[in-house]
Amino acid sequence: MTENNSATSKLTHFDQTGQAHMVDVGNKNDTHRIAIASGCIRMKAATLALIQSGTAKKGDVLSIARIAAIMATKRTSDLIPLCHPLALTRVTVDFSIDEANASIACNAQAETVGKTGVEMEALTAVQIGLLTIYDMCKAVDRGMVITDVRVMEKHGGKSGDWVAE
């Protein structure tokens, strides 16, 4: 049990006895916080062409995926049990098409002024945006692969700025 306590003592979502809890952010200062996340979905070239043409059976795939991603950021604390609900001040979601690799990259930026960061919101936006693309195109390509979802940058708060290498 001592080894478990040692391992969990560095994880903020566990108390001294190893029990899960929501982190107390009450004494933290409100700061402007930004997180940027990205990810990618690979597919058949024909699927990408269908998305680009705007003739997918379910509609404009990327516009719908963008709205889904933005909506998801607002529900992050409903999906991740120990995540604090946040008052988001800004969310942007952009998609970029890579024809050579038959893929679409999703980049999301979430912002708030508050006591805790928005990394989970940015990651949720990326995942849901990419999952929406999958959902809308699965009838023609069940082999799509979502990959490389990660935080690229975070700014603000006590720990300051961080940029992925």
Side-chain angles (χ1 to χ4, degrees):
M1 188 70 163
T2 304
E3 185 177 335
N4 185 34
N5 284 342
S6 173
T8 58
S9 67
K10 295 179 182 182
L11 299 174
T12 58
H13 287 87
F14 294 95
D15 65 18
Q16 297 86 355
T17 65
Q19 298 298 309
H21 73 105
M22 183 181 251
V23 175
D24 181 0
V25 297
N27 291 326
K28 293 172 95 178
N29 293 324
D30 285 347
T31 62
H32 182 218
R33 296 166 183 269
I34 301 169
I36 301 169
S38 68
C40 182
I41 186 166
R42 294 189 317 259
M43 62 196 67
K44 294 177 184 174
T47 307
L48 183 60
L50 183 66
I51 293 169
Q52 288 179 290
S53 73
T55 59
K57 188 174 183 180
K58 291 186 176 182
D60 181 347
V61 173
L62 297 183
S63 291
I64 294 168
R66 179 176 291 106
I67 295 299
I70 292 168
M71 289 174 64
T73 62
K74 298 188 287 183
R75 301 295 302 263
T76 300
S77 66
D78 291 336
L79 301 169
I80 301 170
L82 301 176
C83 213
H84 290 84
L86 300 179
L88 296 167
T89 57
R90 181 172 188 245
V91 176
T92 61
V93 178
D94 296 302
F95 295 100
S96 52
I97 294 173
D98 181 347
E99 289 182 10
N101 292 306
S103 64
I104 300 173
C106 178
N107 292 293
Q109 180 170 318
E111 295 185 37
T112 192
V113 174
K115 298 177 183 302
T116 190
V118 287
E119 296 92 345
M120 299 311 297
E121 287 72 14
L123 286 166
T124 299
V126 169
Q127 289 281 32
I128 296 302
L130 297 174
L131 283 169
T132 300
I133 293 170
Y134 184 95
D135 179 54
M136 295 187 71
C137 298
K138 69 182 181 280
V140 296
D141 188 355
R142 294 204 185 269
M144 291 176 280
V145 176
I146 294 172
T147 185
D148 298 324
V149 175
R150 62 186 253 176
V151 174
M152 300 304 295
E153 298 180 35
K154 71 89 68 201
H155 303 281
K158 183 179 173 183
S159 61
D161 297 343
W162 179 85
V163 177
E165 295 179 11

